[in-house]
């Protein structure tokens, strides 16, 4: 039985150990630390005297992880981040129980082998559960810490970020076995060797994207604009001025960041005319982002793109739902004005763009920068034709949609040759958020085998090639500029685009088998032993 000081010490240690993996993500970006970051937490869990204590320390560590990875949300959510972390921390309880069950004791070889499979699978289960949009989305997945490691990015092209998370968690598990279980050194070394061999085989044998042609893409980053009643107009003017400087450089496409246009273009035809004039002046279409209330009379366009599968199917390329309200929309504008191709953001940021169960949590607007009015989500993804380049189609995403692997995969399957994420992290300008957000584009590019442009209002803007490699220099948060990038296009399909989230299915399958086997063992252990059968009496016959 633990003493009271020991209980408090272990609780604090769980919170701190759970927060350690945040150092593997940008801005510190100590990618190598991810392979041992879970070890202190796992050592604590395996030594828990009871399953109840392991569950508690798994919960506290999960809350610590959420607080550490999302600490930059404090200016917006304030104290509301604490109950949110406490809620999400519950998702690590099954993982914690498995760590104690399989890594506790002397580490017999059979249990050690099972741990190398089941513990990473349980970690992936927690990542999958919190990847639901309503719980904040897949931000801070363990595999995302490897965004700058080329061999691991190749793994992402096979099984997405999920496969990378499994590998990183398995290495942590093997390290724990090496530390505490001398009897399990053989399976631990075998596990480490297997991870290394898998990475090497994928690096050597999985085909790289086949480069076919290129595109000149300009990113316009206006920089910080002071808040005020005319801030949207001043931001538009800054983007206009920087875009005008691209004249004569012959871009194929100019990309503005999220919320770069603060009024609906049907309600402000003067802005539409200015954008059309800009497009004619630089000789390229502009992909802008409109963050505004849509007039009830506004209808989707009728030319310029095609909706993705499951969309409206109209030639206008609109993913809009048609309901009145505030939308965030990627809009393509050419020399003649808006082309009709528009994508309305589908997955909104909880509390930032809408409040889940507003009747229950509406009070959050009084303690932070939560959304005063819910924005309207779009109805479907959209793939847009690029005017002047019939061989290129664009797959737009808005803001934290770049964190969702399934969205970029869907766009690639529907024929997008260039993925574009329009973002704005100005509320978190001096935090780790801009660097974390920009790094996600490298993973989406590697998974899909398609280059990706991450264009922001205030940095960090970055462009990645079809293998996830960085192209040119990123634009820091201090920059107010327009930059031109030579972007290689690619043909072919990655295994991840073809087969999807198969590592998730595999992880769920092995966990289901384990649970079924444990249930059978429990059932048999609870059955009373059969009574011995008495020998049949012999009858003497005279």
């Amino acid at each position: 039985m633990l003493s009271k000081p020991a209980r408090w010490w272990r609780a604090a240690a769980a919170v701190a150990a759970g927060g350690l993996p945040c150092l593997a993500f940008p801005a510190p970006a100590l990618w190598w630390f991810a392979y041992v970051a879970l070890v202190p937490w796992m050592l604590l869990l395996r030594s828990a005297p009871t399953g109840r204590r392991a569950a508690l320390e798994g919960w506290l560590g999960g809350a610590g992880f959420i607080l550490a990875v999302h600490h930059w949300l404090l200016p917006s959510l304030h104290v509301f981040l604490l109950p949110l972390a406490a809620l999400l921390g519950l998702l690590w309880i099954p993982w914690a129980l498995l760590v104690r069950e399989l890594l506790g004791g002397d580490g017999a070889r059979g249990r050690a082998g099972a741990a190398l499979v089941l513990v990473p699978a349980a970690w992936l289960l927690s990542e999958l559960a919190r990847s639901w949009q309503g719980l904040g989305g897949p931000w801070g997945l363990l595999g995302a810490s490897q965004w700058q490691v080329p061999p691991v990015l190749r793994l992402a092209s096979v099984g997405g970020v999920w496969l990378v998370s499994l590998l990183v968690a398995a290495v942590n598990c093997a390290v724990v076995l090496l530390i505490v279980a001398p009897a399990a050194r053989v399976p631990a070394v075998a596990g480490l060797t297997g991870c290394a061999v898998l990475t090497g085989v994928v690096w050597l044998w999985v085909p790289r994207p086949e480069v076919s042609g290129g595109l000149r893409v300009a990113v316009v980053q206006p920089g910080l604009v002071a808040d005020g009643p005319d801030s949207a107009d001043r931001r538009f003017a800054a983007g206009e001025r920087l875009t005008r400087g691209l004249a004569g450089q012959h871009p194929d496409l100019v990309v503005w960041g999220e919320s770069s246009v603060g009024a609906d273009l049907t309600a402000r035809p003067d802005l539409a005319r200015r954008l059309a004039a800009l497009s004619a002046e630089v000789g390229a279409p502009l992909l802008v982002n409109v963050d505004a209330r849509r007039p009830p009379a506004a209808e989707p366009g009728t030319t310029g793109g095609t909706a993705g599968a499951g969309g409206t199917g109209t030639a206008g390329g609109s993913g809009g739902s048609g309901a009145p309200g505030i939308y965030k929309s990627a809009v393509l504008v050419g020399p003649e004005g808006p082309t009709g191709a528009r994508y309305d953001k589908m997955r909104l940021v909880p509390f930032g763009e809408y409040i889940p169960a507003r009747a229950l949590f509406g009070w959050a607007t009084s303690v932070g920068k939560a959304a005063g009015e819910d924005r309207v989500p779009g109805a479907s993804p959209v793939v847009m034709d690029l005017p002047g380049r019939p061989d290129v189609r664009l797959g737009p995403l808005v803001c934290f949609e770049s964190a969702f692997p399934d969205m970029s995969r869907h766009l690639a399957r529907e024929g997008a040759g260039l993925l574009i994420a329009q973002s704005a992290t100005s509320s978190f300008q001096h935090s780790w958020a801009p660097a974390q957000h920009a790094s996600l584009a490298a993973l989406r590019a590697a998974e899909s085998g398609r280059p990706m442009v991450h264009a922001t209002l205030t940095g960090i803007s970055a462009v990645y090639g079809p293998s996830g490699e960085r192209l040119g220099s990123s634009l820091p948060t201090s920059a107010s500029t327009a930059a031109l990038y030579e972007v290689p296009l690619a043909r072919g399909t990655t295994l991840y685009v073809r087969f999807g989230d198969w590592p998730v299915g595999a992880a769920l399958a092995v966990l289901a088998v384990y649970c079924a086997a444990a249930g059978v063992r429990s059932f048999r252990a609870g059955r009373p032993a059969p009574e011995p059968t008495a020998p049949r009496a012999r009858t003497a016959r005279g």
Side-chain angles (χ1 to χ4, degrees):
M1 187 72 178
L2 293 173
S3 65
K4 188 173 182 179
R7 290 198 298 268
W8 282 106
W9 177 88
R10 288 181 65 95
V15 175
L20 284 178
C22 76
L23 298 176
F25 296 92
L30 305 177
W31 63 267
W32 51 268
F33 184 63
Y35 294 94
V36 294
L38 300 180
V39 170
W41 191 7
M42 296 170 74
L43 291 175
L44 187 71
L45 293 171
R46 71 172 296 276
S47 66
T50 64
R52 179 177 295 181
R53 187 71 204 185
L56 174 64
E57 292 169 359
W59 172 44
L60 292 174
F65 177 85
I66 295 297
L67 286 172
V69 172
H70 298 274
H71 70 274
W72 44 268
L73 284 172
L74 280 169
S76 294
L77 294 184
H78 294 297
V79 296
F80 197 78
L81 183 59
L82 296 177
L84 181 63
L87 172 65
L88 294 179
L90 296 170
L91 299 175
W92 274 270
I93 289 179
W95 175 76
L97 293 173
L98 264 182
V99 169
R100 180 181 180 273
E101 174 70 21
L102 298 176
L103 295 179
D106 59 358
R109 288 190 179 186
R111 284 198 304 162
L116 289 169
V117 175
L118 292 168
V119 170
W123 178 272
L124 197 67
L125 180 64
S126 68
E127 292 199 332
L128 177 66
R130 70 184 180 89
S131 294
W132 178 51
Q133 176 200 345
L135 292 179
W139 193 288
L141 301 183
L142 194 60
S145 65
Q146 306 301 296
W147 63 278
Q148 54 185 325
V149 186
V152 184
L153 285 174
R154 191 68 53 78
L155 279 175
S157 74
V158 174
V161 68
W162 312 110
L163 181 59
V164 182
S165 284
L166 280 174
L167 180 137
V168 175
V171 171
N172 276 272
C173 187
V175 171
V176 170
L177 289 170
L178 288 175
I179 293 173
V180 301
R185 285 177 180 168
V186 171
V189 172
L192 291 173
T193 303
C195 291
V197 168
L198 173 64
T199 305
V201 167
V202 169
W203 176 255
L204 292 174
W205 296 104
V206 170
R208 291 169 171 80
E210 182 183 351
V211 174
S212 176
L215 200 67
R216 293 169 61 85
V217 180
V219 174
V220 175
Q221 180 178 299
L224 278 175
V225 173
D227 290 337
D230 62 340
S231 58
D233 290 335
R234 285 185 283 115
R235 183 180 299 114
F236 185 96
E240 189 177 34
R241 172 178 53 81
L242 293 170
T243 302
R244 191 168 287 117
L246 295 168
Q249 298 186 46
H250 308 293
D252 295 304
L253 175 67
V254 179
V255 183
W256 288 18
E258 180 187 11
S259 304
S260 48
V261 179
D264 187 85
L265 295 180
T266 58
R268 289 285 303 275
D270 59 314
L271 296 183
R273 287 192 295 269
R274 287 164 66 179
L275 290 171
L278 268 181
S279 175
E281 187 173 349
V282 300
L286 315 178
L287 186 68
V288 300
N289 189 274
V290 178
D291 183 359
R293 187 177 302 279
R294 188 170 299 164
E299 297 292 339
T302 54
T303 59
T306 37
T312 60
T314 64
S318 170
S321 64
I326 302 174
Y327 289 79
K328 281 191 177 180
S329 307
V331 178
L332 195 61
V333 181
E336 304 300 322
T339 65
R342 186 193 76 232
Y343 165 67
D344 296 331
K345 184 179 183 181
M346 296 172 59
R347 295 183 181 172
L348 305 175
V349 179
F351 297 98
E353 295 171 335
Y354 79 104
I355 296 182
R358 182 175 285 271
L360 183 62
F361 297 116
W363 57 268
T365 58
S366 62
V367 297
K369 299 178 181 178
E373 178 183 349
D374 292 349
R375 282 173 168 77
V376 182
S380 64
V382 170
V383 176
M384 302 176 178
D385 295 331
L386 179 60
R389 288 295 301 266
D391 59 322
V392 180
R393 305 180 75 201
L394 311 177
L397 299 167
V398 182
C399 192
F400 95 139
E401 288 183 330
S402 65
F404 292 87
D406 65 302
M407 296 197 73
S408 52
R409 174 176 176 258
H410 177 89
L411 292 171
R413 286 175 64 90
E414 292 302 311
L418 176 67
L419 302 175
I420 300 172
Q422 297 173 301
S423 175
T425 52
S426 53
S427 299
F428 315 104
Q429 190 72 356
H430 302 292
S431 71
W432 294 358
Q436 287 184 12
H437 201 176
S439 70
L440 295 174
L443 284 158
R444 304 291 88 84
E447 289 169 342
S448 63
R450 297 292 181 265
M452 186 160 188
V453 174
H454 180 79
T456 73
L457 290 180
T458 59
I460 296 172
S461 297
V463 181
Y464 298 92
S467 294
E469 73 279 15
R470 180 178 289 174
L471 302 176
S473 300
S474 59
L475 304 182
T477 54
S478 59
S480 175
T481 187
L484 189 64
Y485 295 87
E486 298 285 346
V487 180
L489 302 174
R491 294 185 299 182
T493 303
T494 65
L495 293 176
Y496 176 68
V497 169
R498 191 176 305 167
F499 298 111
D501 300 328
W502 63 266
V504 173
L508 294 176
V510 298
L511 288 171
V513 170
Y514 172 77
C515 291
V520 170
R521 288 196 302 268
S522 177
F523 176 74
R524 288 179 175 176
R527 293 178 61 184
E531 296 182 3
T533 304
R536 181 177 299 177
R538 295 183 178 181
T539 304
R541 299 183 180 180

